[in-house]
Amino acid sequence: MKRIFSYALLLVVALSMGLPANAKKKEIAFQMYSVRDLIGDPGKYAKNHESALKQLAAMGYTAVEAAHYGDGKLYGVTPEQFKADIEAAGLKVLSSHVGHNLNDEELASGNFQGALAWWDQCIAAHKAAGMKYLVNPGVNYPRNLKEAQVICDYLNKIGERANAAGLKFGYHNHSHEFNKVEGKVWYDYMIEHTDPTKVFFEMDVYWAVRGQVSPVEYFKKYPGRFTLLHIKDHTEIGQSGMVGFDAIFKNAETAGLKGWVVELEHGSSADILEGMKLSADYLKAAKFVKPSYE
């Protein structure tokens, strides 16, 4: 009888909050670049990260994607300390944006062993930080298809090293990848000339729309390649009407989606933390967003 009464009480509380009794908390990661003015550089991170991260966790965010790596450290602290800081705020470490471009000699020769040595340290640091995904937020823009192939070979080799360490490696787009190189759309060439077992794609849906392409059409053209998504709008998520988030999430299975990350790149019409809250509230209320895509 007590068990029945307890369940009934929980049901009443859930219904009073406008939630189904079996409602699950949605997994919502955020890109730390969004709050860079608070925690974006090592000096500010050390002063403000605890308060900012806890406020974001209270809004409903559950994980972070980092955006500041150098010399084996994240935000100026050791990988282990970074992981501890994130978890102390009630969040999880999910992914990180980090890149290392090829120089002209490496592009011309196709010999990028020196660059791969840099990645070895980077991968080790991110493994120590508990990362699941490592994402390159941009590479050299190729001047011809020969350079394009060298870049794709380079991405494959990075992915191979990341896989060996237990991480997954991906590429994040902006809008310029939808331009053509010798008659071929660079983004398409990159997808077609990288190994799906070594390189996934984190489509930034806002930049795709700005590049005048349909994210959903890309999901259908290259099913299973989009392990992560950047969920972004012109300001707060869902405010501009220019990005079809309902269609994007409804085609998540086709995309191959495993996780997604909120980013406010252009700021907010309000305070940045208010903008992050408005974005979280929109996504938590959206019926087309599942609690998890794992």
Side-chain angles (χ1 to χ4, degrees):
M1 178 65 72
K2 287 183 179 179
R3 185 177 297 174
I4 295 173
F5 177 76
S6 297
Y7 180 80
L9 180 61
L10 288 172
L11 179 62
V12 170
V13 171
L15 291 174
S16 70
M17 295 172 63
L19 300 172
N22 62 346
K24 294 182 180 179
K25 184 176 182 179
K26 292 182 180 179
E27 294 181 3
I28 308 178
F30 70 93
Q31 167 54 256
M32 291 177 70
Y33 182 76
S34 304
V35 289
R36 58 195 178 277
D37 289 340
L38 297 176
I39 57 174
D41 64 67
K44 290 184 178 179
Y45 173 83
K47 295 176 182 176
N48 303 318
H49 75 273
E50 185 175 359
S51 172
L53 292 174
K54 286 184 177 179
Q55 287 182 76
L56 288 157
M59 294 174 193
Y61 291 100
T62 59
V64 305
E65 181 175 75
H68 196 294
Y69 167 80
D71 297 325
K73 295 183 177 181
L74 288 95
Y75 292 86
V77 300
T78 66
E80 294 82 2
Q81 184 61 55
F82 176 79
K83 182 175 186 291
D85 290 343
I86 297 302
E87 293 178 348
L91 298 161
K92 295 184 294 185
V93 175
L94 177 69
S95 53
S96 180
H97 271 202
V98 61
H100 186 77
N101 279 351
L102 297 174
N103 60 40
D104 287 342
E105 183 179 340
E106 289 168 329
L107 274 174
S109 68
N111 182 348
F112 37 71
Q113 291 305 307
L116 290 177
W118 183 93
W119 278 101
D120 287 339
Q121 182 197 45
C122 174
I123 290 167
H126 284 84
K127 180 178 177 64
M131 298 290 177
K132 186 171 185 178
Y133 303 104
L134 196 56
V135 183
N136 191 328
V139 292
N140 313 72
Y141 190 83
R143 290 165 285 197
N144 50 58
L145 290 182
K146 180 182 177 181
E147 288 187 354
Q149 188 57 53
V150 169
I151 293 168
C152 289
D153 293 342
Y154 177 52
L155 294 176
N156 280 328
K157 287 296 183 181
I158 300 167
E160 186 177 297
R161 279 167 153 76
N163 287 354
L167 281 71
K168 296 179 180 179
F169 175 73
Y171 182 81
H172 166 279
N173 64 281
H174 291 83
S175 59
H176 65 269
E177 286 91 348
F178 300 101
N179 295 328
K180 292 183 177 180
V181 179
E182 293 188 339
K184 181 69 175 178
V185 175
W186 172 217
Y187 196 62
D188 293 44
Y189 188 93
M190 201 184 307
I191 295 174
E192 293 168 8
H193 291 80
T194 51
D195 185 336
T197 66
K198 299 173 182 175
V199 182
F200 71 85
F201 287 81
E202 179 184 57
M203 176 178 277
D204 186 306
V205 298
Y206 171 77
W207 283 120
V209 170
R210 288 292 299 271
Q212 300 184 337
V213 302
S214 163
V216 172
E217 289 304 310
Y218 264 89
F219 299 164
K220 293 177 179 178
K221 187 176 182 180
Y222 301 108
R225 293 303 301 271
F226 305 95
T227 302
L228 297 178
L229 294 179
H230 255 203
I231 297 301
K232 186 190 301 181
D233 208 332
H234 192 62
T235 53
E236 297 88 7
I237 308 301
Q239 300 299 306
S240 74
M242 67 182 291
V243 182
F245 294 111
D246 54 345
I248 286 167
F249 279 102
K250 286 175 182 177
N251 285 276
E253 184 176 351
T254 301
L257 188 65
K258 299 298 182 184
W260 49 279
V261 181
V262 169
E263 182 180 30
L264 267 66
E265 185 167 358
H266 297 288
S268 166
S269 59
D271 170 82
I272 187 61
L273 285 175
E274 179 62 20
M276 293 296 289
K277 184 178 186 304
L278 289 170
S279 297
D281 289 347
Y282 171 82
L283 292 162
K284 286 189 294 184
K287 293 182 179 179
F288 51 78
V289 179
K290 292 168 57 177
S292 175
Y293 291 87
E294 282 287 353

